[in-house]
Structures are given as structure tokens and as C-alpha cells.
């Protein structure tokens, strides 16, 4: 947008020189066709002066032009790129006698400027003569244009819009009044602006070097203060070469009470977070800018560091090294209570892959303590790189709930059509009971866990990537206690509801002592499968599970089966036969084979957060694990015993397997009904 304004100022310069130059002849209207042709030649656009050229002769001659228009690019939406209701210039008489133009006052009344880009990013301010078309050769003997100096510029009631052809977003700047001037060419230039940006008021006051110094491109002081809505900003320093904006040495600051106060300016809903204040020193480099001694205050927390922006490549490149002692980002996170329930856990919306090519980024960030709504990370270190659409995090390390976290991610969207994901998470000694949500409700005590996730996938949306995943998930949890009333405490979470169903002591004892738990899934082409890879070993009860999760459709086909441990006085008849979990990841449904079903639509959120203890398959439990720890079986450390008379799985024919499936299904219902009746009389 600044480049566009630069071109328009050059255009105005041409008009001023052309109009003021013919003042020497006094017959101004006679030269209107020449002025029109000159502008057409310089821009390659239609140009019209629909009103007369007016000239008032006095000691301070005034020239006025009414109703001026400049045509737009062929592809642009508006007919004209520029229109001005009235253009007026007061010219000093004595300099004219020496063929120099001294403009005491230049006034633009109701200029309308329509700036826009096409879908490829080309701006309508790029004129035909800027696109490589041959220009007429200048006559070396032609006289040079007169020297031009302007003391004061006033813009009244300007309407400037900028439309981004790629995003469709329109920004509108309404200028009520702009006044730039000085008492003399040797005095400092004063600037005052009263305007609004997207209906948010703007005021600005600035002091620059003298007009003579600016024209001579000499070192100029800069002192600016501005307000945009409820935010304030300032610049204070010097510019060595003001006409080229080179040699910057500026102290900058930005201050806003709450980000939400900038909603109108940003054109989007920003979080209710603040106060926010940013300070630093801005300098230019060989091919960009450097912001040093950067301090960003977010509420009572501070981020410090340095940042360099390079414009040398095909796109901007940002290198930053930032750090914080303690940082709380919860005010910037969406409130879960305000989010609507989604029909799918993995959205189908296309990922904004083009946004990964807007700039290259090399970011190093560290924080002693980072607070989020779901967890508190300590000793966080993050290395993030974005290069030509390829995002990589290598690594992210932190301490979380007493455990060590190591995450690496590679998302390659360089093709532009889809992204290739490679992800690895390794967590050691994470104590589930120390996670904020679990600790607050005392759902689990202890439960140190090791978690490994290794997945790869490809797609243009989260849903497509999930449906193509290959890899594995393994969660191994050690001893701890589970709150038996967790189903009620946690709301309608399917994990704890399912555990309550398989645990006959849940209403009699406050806690269930857990010896170990395992969740182990293999994932192939979006289908997560486990064969007795889900296990829970408690003081009185062992639980085993098998089944599938179809990540393409998000369909659940899982179940868990309890087994009383011998010699612990647990009434077998009090056990349910199995708890089946069906439905989808977003709307799971748990039900007991012979005792009805739980309410559908329960959340699977805690299932994922705690390692997926409810992600257990609707399996046929013909294999026996009597006497073996189910966690060892899930991890492959203990052999799976075969039921009496049962052939090994690899020796069974397809027909025998089908018969066994039907047989086990009937026996499951019969046994469940029998156990229920026994439990009534024991």
C-alpha cells in the first residue's frame, strides 16, 4: 500500500509541474490537452480534466483544477483508480520569475483512491510504463522541468480503499483532514492527520526535518505519536536518507489496553487480553530491517529478544530469538465453554497451506514456565522453521507434570496442493494426576506414564491426514488410584463411565487401586487396530480390550471385558459381560451387553488425554489370560494362553473362525445373563 501511495505522489508531482509550468503563459486552458496527454504517457491510463483550469492572478497566483479522473487497470473492479473533486495550488510569484515553482499551499478536496490487487498479487498502481513497455526517448536538448518546492499540503475528505485480490478483504481509510507544512523551507515540517481506518478513529502528529533537508536527502529527525482506536504508537529517532527511508535509527513503542479494542482495525475478533505493550529499536539492514532490544509485555509477563526481517528473497524472511521467564497464554486461548459441539473431531476444512508460503521463519523460543489452559510447561525450548511451505519443529522439549516431553514435527506443504506430515512424540514419566484438569477434580492420583506416538500422513485437511495415517501409539501407565466417582465428577465422559460399568466396587469404595494400564494401537491407512493391546490391572479386577478406530469415518468399534482376580473375594456374578463403545470420536456411545447402554453422545476428550483407556474394541475374547498380567500381554511380554480345546489362531480356517465368532457371541449373552442373576442372590 505504501508503494501505491508513492506512485500517486509521483503522479501528483507530474500534474503540479505540468499545471504550474504553463502558468508562465497565463493561457492555462489552452494547454489542457497537453497536460492530459502527458499524464496518459506517464501512466498508460485514461486521464481526464472534466472541469476548467482556473487561474486567479495576484501577488499569490492560485491555479485550480476541478473534476480530475485517472482510469483503472483493465482487470480492476472500479472504473477509475483516482478521482479528485478539486485540486488547488497557491504559487509564489517571485520564484516564478526565475522559472522556479514555490507552492505555498497545495489542496486536494475529496480525492477518492481505489487500490487493489489481482489474484496473483499485482497492484492496479503498476502502470503500463512500469511493466516493461518501451518509453519514448527523452530529447537531450529538451529543457528541464522547473524546480518545485511545496510549503504546505492539505488533504480534505479523502476516501482510500485497498482490496486484496487473494483474500477478498477490503480495508478502508477515510481521511477527514491531513495537514503537512512548515513556516519556511528551513523550518521543521509538521504533520497532522485526522482519519479513520475501518471505522476506527486515527490521529497522528509528527515532526520531521526541514523541507530543504528532506529534498536534499539529508539526515532528518523523526518524532511521531499516533492513536488507532484505543491503541497508541510512537516513533522517535533519526533517518539518515529520508527520501530512500535508509539509515533508520528509531525507538518504537505500541500500547493497547486489550487486543479486542482493535477488532475494527483488524477486521476480526481478537481475544480479550491485555494490557499489551511493545518497545524496541528499529534499524534498517542491507536488505531489510532489524528490531533489537525487543520487549513485549503481555499482561504482567514479558517476552524479550531480537528480530530481523529480510526482503532479499522471493518472500520476506523473519529470524527471531525470543525468551520469557514466565508466560501465561490462557487469555489468548478460546474458551471451550463457548465452542459449539462438532460433529467431527477432525475438520474437513481445507488447511490454509498457501499461508505457509507467505514468509520464511526461523524462530527460537524458550520459557522457564509456559501456562496454558490444559497444561503448564517448564523449561520449554522450541526451534521452529518455515521455509517455502515446509514447517518443521525440531525439537520442542519441556517438562510436563513431572515428565520429560520431546516433540518433533515436519509438515511439508511445498507442493501447495496437500501436506505431508511426520510426527513423533516421546514422553517419559508423565504423572497423569498432576495434569491441571485431572488434579483439580482428583480423578487420578499418581499414574506415571510413558507415551510414544509415531505417525505419518498426507492430505489437504486434518480429516484427510487423519484418514491416511500410518504408525503406532503406545501408552504405558504405572501404579496409581482412580476416583470411582469420576464418571459423575468429570461430567459425561465416556472413559470413566465405562470404567464404572466394569468395576462392581465403584459404588462401595472411593478409589480403585491401579497397578498398571496400557494402550497400544497400530495404525495403517487410517485404521487404528489393537488386539488385546488395551489393559488395566487393578487390585481386584483385570480389564482387557480389543478393537478398531476408523480415522477416516471416525467410527468406533471397541469393547472392554473385565475379569475378577482369584482369591480377592470379588463376586464374579457382579461383573458385566463387556462394555462396548461405538459411535464416533466426536459422539461416542458406551453400552453394556446385557444391562442396556449408556447415554449416547459422550465426550471422547478425556479418553485421548489419558491415553485412550476407553478406546477398546468390540472383540471376541475367546483367548484366556488367566494368571497373566493383562499389561504384560498388551506389551507382548507374556504369552496368551489358549482356551481348552482351542486351536491356535493361525491354524483355524475361515469357517472355524466364523463359527467361533457366532458361538462366542451367544455364549457372551448367556454368560452375562447368568452372572447378573447370580449377583442378585450372592
Amino acid at each position: 500500500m505504501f508503494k501505491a501511495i508513492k506512485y500517486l505522489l509521483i503522479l501528483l508531482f507530474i500534474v503540479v509541474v505540468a499545471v504550474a509550468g504553463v502558468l508562465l503563459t497565463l493561457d492555462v486552458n489552452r494547454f489542457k490537452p497537453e497536460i492530459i496527454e502527458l499524464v496518459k504517457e506517464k501512466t498508460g491510463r485514461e486521464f481526464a480534466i472534466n472541469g476548467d483550469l482556473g487561474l486567479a492572478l495576484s501577488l499569490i497566483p492560485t491555479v485550480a483544477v476541478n473534476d480530475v479522473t485517472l482510469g483503472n487497470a483493465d482487470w480492476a473492479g472500479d472504473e477509475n483508480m483516482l478521482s479528485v473533486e478539486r485540486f488547488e495550488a497557491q504559487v509564489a510569484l517571485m520564484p516564478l520569475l526565475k522559472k522556479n515553482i514555490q507552492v505555498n499551499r497545495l489542496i486536494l478536496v475529496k480525492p477518492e483512491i481505489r487500490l487493489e490487487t489481482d489474484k496473483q498479487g499485482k497492484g492496479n498502481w503498476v502502470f503500463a510504463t512500469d511493466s516493461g513497455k518501451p518509453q519514448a526517448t527523452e530529447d537531450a536538448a529538451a529543457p528541464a522541468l522547473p524546480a518545485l518546492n511545496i510549503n504546505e499540503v492539505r488533504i480534505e475528505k479523502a476516501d482510500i480503499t485497498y482490496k486484496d485480490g487473494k483474500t477478498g478483504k477490503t480495508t478502508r481509510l477515510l481521511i477527514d483532514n491531513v495537514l503537512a507544512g512548515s513556516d519556511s523551507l528551513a523550518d521543521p515540517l509538521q504533520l497532522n492527520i485526522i482519519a479513520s481506518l475501518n471505522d476506527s478513529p486515527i490521529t497522528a502528529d509528527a515532526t520531521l526535518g526541514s523541507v530543504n533537508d528532506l529534498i536534499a536527502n539529508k539526515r532528518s529527525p523523526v518524532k511521531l505519536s499516533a492513536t488507532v482506536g484505543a491503541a497508541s504508537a510512537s516513533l522517535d529517532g533519526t533517518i539518515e536518507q529520508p527520501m530512500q527511508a535508509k539509515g533508520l535509527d528509531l525507538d518504537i513503542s505500541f500500547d493497547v489496553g486489550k487486543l479486542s479494542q482493535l477488532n475494527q482495525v483488524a477486521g476480526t475478533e481478537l481475544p480479550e487480553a491485555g494490557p499489551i505493550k511493545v518497545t524496541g529499536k528499529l534499524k534498517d539492514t542491507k536488505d531489510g530491517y532489524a528490531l533489537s532490544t525487543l520487549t513485549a509485555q503481555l499482561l504482567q509477563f514479558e517476552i524479550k529478544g531480537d528480530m530481523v526481517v529480510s526482503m532479499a528473497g522471493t518472500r520476506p524472511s523473519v529470524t527471531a530469538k525470543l525468551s520469557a521467564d514466565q508466560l501465561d497464554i490462557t487469555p489468548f486461548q478460546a474458551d471451550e465453554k463457548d465452542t459449539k459441539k462438532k460433529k467431527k473431531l477432525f475438520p474437513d476444512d481445507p488447511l490454509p497451506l498457501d499461508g505457509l508460503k507467505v514468509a520464511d521463519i526461523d524462530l527460537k523460543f524458550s520459557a522457564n514456565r509456559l501456562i496454558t489452559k490444559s497444561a503448564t510447561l517448564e523449561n520449554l525450548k522450541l526451534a521452529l522453521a518455515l521455509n517455502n511451505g515446509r514447517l518443521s519443529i525440531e525439537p520442542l522439549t519441556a517438562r510436563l507434570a513431572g515428565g520429560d516431553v520431546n516433540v518433533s514435527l515436519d509438515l511439508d506443504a511445498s507442493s501447495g496442493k496437500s501436506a505431508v506430515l511426520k510426527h513423533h512424540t516421546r514422553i517419559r514419566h508423565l504423572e497423569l494426576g498432576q495434569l491441571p484438569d485431572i488434579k483439580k477434580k482428583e480423578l487420578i492420583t499418581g499414574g506415571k506414564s510413558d507415551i510414544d506416538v509415531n505417525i505419518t500422513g498426507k492430505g489437504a485437511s486434518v480429516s484427510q491426514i487423519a484418514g491416511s495415517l500410518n504408525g503406532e501409539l503406545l501408552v504405558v501407565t504405572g501404579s496409581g488410584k482412580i476416583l470411582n466417582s469420576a464418571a459423575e465428577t468429570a461430567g459425561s465422559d465416556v472413559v470413566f463411565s465405562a470404567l464404572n460399568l466394569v468395576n462392581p466396587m465403584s459404588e462401595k469404595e472411593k478409589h480403585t487401586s491401579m497397578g498398571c494400564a496400557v494402550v497400544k494401537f497400530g495404525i495403517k491407512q487410517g485404521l487404528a487396530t489393537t488386539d488385546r493391546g488395551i489393559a488395566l490391572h487393578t487390585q481386584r479386577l483385570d480389564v482387557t480390550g480389543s478393537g478398531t478406530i476408523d480415522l477416516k469415518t471416525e467410527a468406533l468399534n471397541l469393547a472392554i471385558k473385565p475379569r475378577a482376580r482369584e482369591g480377592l473375594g470379588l463376586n464374579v456374578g457382579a461383573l458385566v459381560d463387556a462394555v462396548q463403545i461405538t459411535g464416533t470420536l466426536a459422539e461416542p456411545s458406551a453400552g453394556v451387553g446385557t444391562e442396556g447402554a449408556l447415554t449416547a453422545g459422550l465426550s471422547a476428550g478425556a479418553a485421548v488425554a489419558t491415553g485412550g483407556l476407553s478406546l477398546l474394541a468390540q472383540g471376541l475374547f475367546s483367548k484366556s489370560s488367566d494368571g497373566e498380567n493383562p499389561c504384560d500381554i498388551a506389551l507382548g511380554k507374556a504369552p496368551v494362553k489358549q482356551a481348552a480345546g482351542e486351536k491356535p489362531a493361525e491354524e483355524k480356517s475361515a469357517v472355524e473362525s466364523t463359527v467361533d465368532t457366532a458361538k462366542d457371541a451367544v455364549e457372551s449373552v448367556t454368560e452375562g445373563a447368568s452372572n447378573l442373576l447370580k449377583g442378585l442372590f450372592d
Side-chain angles (χ1 to χ4, degrees):
M1 187 170 180
F2 292 107
K3 185 177 180 181
I5 293 175
K6 172 184 173 183
Y7 276 96
L8 291 173
L9 290 175
I10 294 174
L11 174 62
L12 290 175
F13 176 86
I14 295 171
V15 175
V16 170
V17 171
V19 173
V22 299
L23 281 174
L24 297 175
T25 67
L26 299 182
D27 188 7
V28 290
N29 275 295
R30 172 185 169 188
F31 287 90
K32 187 163 69 171
E34 283 80 355
I35 296 172
I36 293 174
E37 287 304 315
L38 175 62
V39 176
K40 284 184 176 181
E41 177 187 343
K42 294 296 183 182
T43 65
R45 303 275 180 85
E46 288 298 318
F47 179 73
I49 301 176
N50 299 312
D52 289 334
L53 299 179
L55 177 64
L57 292 177
S58 64
L59 292 178
I60 306 178
T62 301
V63 61
V65 183
N66 295 305
D67 195 6
V68 178
T69 60
L70 176 67
N72 216 335
D74 295 338
W75 49 264
D78 294 293
E79 180 181 357
N80 294 318
M81 176 180 144
L82 169 69
S83 64
V84 180
E85 182 177 292
R86 182 175 176 82
F87 171 83
E88 183 178 312
Q90 292 182 354
V91 185
L93 182 60
M94 296 304 295
L96 278 177
L97 299 178
K98 298 179 182 180
K99 296 188 178 182
N100 292 325
I101 301 174
Q102 175 65 53
V103 179
N104 291 340
R105 179 178 295 172
L106 179 65
I107 301 175
L108 285 174
V109 180
K110 292 187 178 180
E112 292 186 4
I113 303 172
R114 302 291 178 251
L115 306 175
E116 62 179 298
T117 62
D118 60 16
K119 292 183 178 180
Q120 287 70 44
K122 180 181 178 181
N124 65 337
W125 55 85
V126 178
F127 300 122
T129 52
D130 296 319
S131 303
K133 289 187 177 182
Q135 300 187 42
T137 303
E138 297 272 348
D139 185 353
L145 291 174
L148 174 66
N149 292 318
I150 302 175
N151 281 358
E152 179 182 314
V153 176
R154 181 188 296 274
I155 301 176
E156 299 177 356
K157 306 298 182 184
D159 185 351
I160 304 173
T161 61
Y162 172 73
K163 184 176 181 180
D164 190 320
K166 291 184 178 180
T167 65
K169 182 179 179 180
T170 299
T171 302
R172 189 178 189 187
L173 175 65
L174 297 177
I175 299 176
D176 185 61
N177 188 62
V178 171
L179 177 61
S182 61
D183 294 335
S184 71
L185 297 180
D187 291 321
L189 180 64
Q190 305 292 327
L191 174 67
N192 176 263
I193 299 175
I194 301 175
S196 67
L197 180 63
N198 292 338
D199 297 325
S200 187
I202 296 175
T203 62
D205 292 287
T207 302
L208 307 175
S210 69
V211 174
N212 284 339
D213 288 344
L214 292 174
I215 293 175
N217 204 24
K218 292 182 178 180
R219 183 182 186 185
S220 172
V222 175
K223 191 174 183 64
L224 178 145
S225 61
T227 62
V228 181
S232 61
S234 68
L235 296 174
D236 192 357
T238 59
I239 303 179
E240 292 293 335
Q241 301 176 48
M243 300 305 288
Q244 281 79 41
K246 294 291 185 181
L248 304 180
D249 189 359
L250 302 170
D251 292 324
I252 69 168
S253 70
F254 173 82
D255 195 347
V256 65
K258 290 184 178 181
L259 275 181
S260 58
Q261 294 173 326
L262 296 176
N263 283 349
Q264 286 182 305
V265 176
T268 187
E269 291 293 324
L270 299 173
E272 292 279 341
I276 295 175
K277 185 174 183 179
V278 179
T279 61
K281 182 172 284 292
L282 178 66
K283 294 186 177 183
D284 57 321
T285 62
K286 181 180 179 181
D287 51 24
Y289 303 92
L291 187 59
S292 59
T293 62
L294 170 67
T295 299
Q297 179 180 330
L298 310 178
L299 291 82
Q300 72 269 34
F301 308 103
E302 282 188 347
I303 300 176
K304 295 184 178 182
D306 301 290
M307 182 181 301
V308 176
V309 179
S310 173
M311 309 298 291
T314 56
R315 58 192 162 273
S317 175
V318 181
T319 302
K321 187 175 182 179
L322 307 173
S323 64
D325 178 33
Q326 181 167 284
L327 184 61
D328 185 351
I329 64 171
T330 55
F332 301 91
Q333 295 180 287
D335 190 345
E336 294 181 0
K337 294 181 180 179
D338 296 335
T339 58
K340 295 181 179 179
K341 189 170 183 177
K342 299 179 180 179
K343 293 184 178 180
K344 293 188 65 177
L345 189 64
F346 305 129
D348 294 318
D349 302 329
L351 291 169
L353 301 180
D354 289 340
L356 296 179
K357 291 188 176 183
V358 172
D360 291 342
I361 299 174
D362 184 359
L363 170 65
K364 302 291 190 301
F365 176 73
S366 63
N368 291 332
R369 186 178 175 86
L370 179 67
I371 304 170
T372 72
K373 286 188 174 181
S374 58
T376 297
L377 299 173
E378 297 179 336
N379 301 329
L380 171 68
K381 296 185 185 305
L382 168 67
L384 182 149
L386 177 61
N387 191 317
N388 193 26
R390 184 170 186 173
L391 173 67
S392 64
I393 297 176
E394 185 64 46
L396 182 157
T397 61
R399 291 278 295 173
L400 170 63
D404 295 316
V405 178
N406 190 301
V407 176
S408 64
L409 179 144
D410 186 278
L411 185 68
D412 189 354
S414 55
S415 68
K417 297 180 180 179
S418 64
V420 178
L421 171 70
K422 296 179 182 179
H423 171 73
H424 172 64
T425 293
R426 183 179 187 272
I427 302 176
R428 292 295 178 266
H429 312 304
L430 171 72
E431 191 165 347
L432 296 177
Q434 294 302 313
L435 293 175
D437 287 346
I438 295 177
K439 184 177 181 180
K440 182 179 180 181
K441 300 174 182 178
E442 299 181 344
L443 305 180
I444 297 176
T445 304
K448 284 191 176 182
S449 302
D450 292 345
I451 302 173
D452 286 277
V453 180
N454 285 283
I455 52 175
T456 61
K458 182 179 180 180
S461 67
V462 175
S463 177
Q464 287 182 10
I465 293 176
S468 69
L469 287 181
N470 292 289
E472 58 185 3
L473 164 70
L474 175 63
V475 181
V476 181
T477 300
S479 61
K481 292 184 178 180
I482 302 173
L483 184 67
N484 287 334
S485 59
E488 291 76 22
T489 305
S492 56
D493 194 284
V494 71
V495 179
F496 296 105
S497 297
L499 291 179
N500 260 7
L501 284 173
V502 299
N503 184 7
M505 305 302 295
S506 60
E507 296 182 0
K508 299 178 181 180
E509 298 178 351
K510 184 176 181 180
H511 295 93
T512 293
S513 294
M514 173 178 62
C516 65
V518 174
V519 175
K520 184 179 181 181
F521 275 92
I523 309 172
K524 186 175 182 180
Q525 293 297 312
L527 185 64
T529 305
T530 184
D531 181 10
R532 302 173 68 84
I534 310 230
L536 176 64
H537 180 60
T538 74
Q539 183 179 6
R540 298 171 179 265
L541 193 71
D542 285 341
V543 176
T544 304
S546 300
T548 62
I549 305 173
D550 190 336
L551 299 177
K552 294 179 181 178
T553 63
E554 302 193 9
L556 302 174
N557 187 19
L558 311 168
I560 57 177
K561 183 180 179 73
R563 179 178 64 83
R565 297 183 62 189
E566 295 180 3
L568 295 179
L570 186 62
N571 183 4
V572 177
L575 296 180
V576 299
D577 180 59
V579 173
Q580 299 179 352
I581 300 178
T582 55
T584 66
L585 288 171
E587 297 182 351
S589 175
V592 181
T594 57
E595 294 183 306
L598 296 178
T599 305
L602 305 181
S603 168
V608 175
T610 60
L613 294 180
S614 67
L615 305 183
L616 309 172
Q618 181 185 4
L620 300 172
F621 301 97
S622 58
K623 296 178 181 179
S624 171
S625 60
D626 291 345
E628 297 291 351
N629 187 319
C631 297
D632 290 340
I633 294 175
L635 294 171
K637 295 180 179 180
V640 178
K641 296 181 180 180
Q642 305 298 324
E646 181 185 8
K647 295 182 181 180
E650 62 273 12
E651 295 179 12
K652 290 186 177 182
S653 66
V655 175
E656 288 177 310
S657 296
T658 303
V659 171
D660 285 347
T661 297
K663 176 183 176 182
D664 288 346
V666 173
E667 289 179 352
S668 175
V669 175
T670 304
E671 182 183 355
S674 175
N675 289 340
L676 178 60
L677 291 173
K678 290 180 181 179
L680 295 176
F681 297 98
D682 283 347

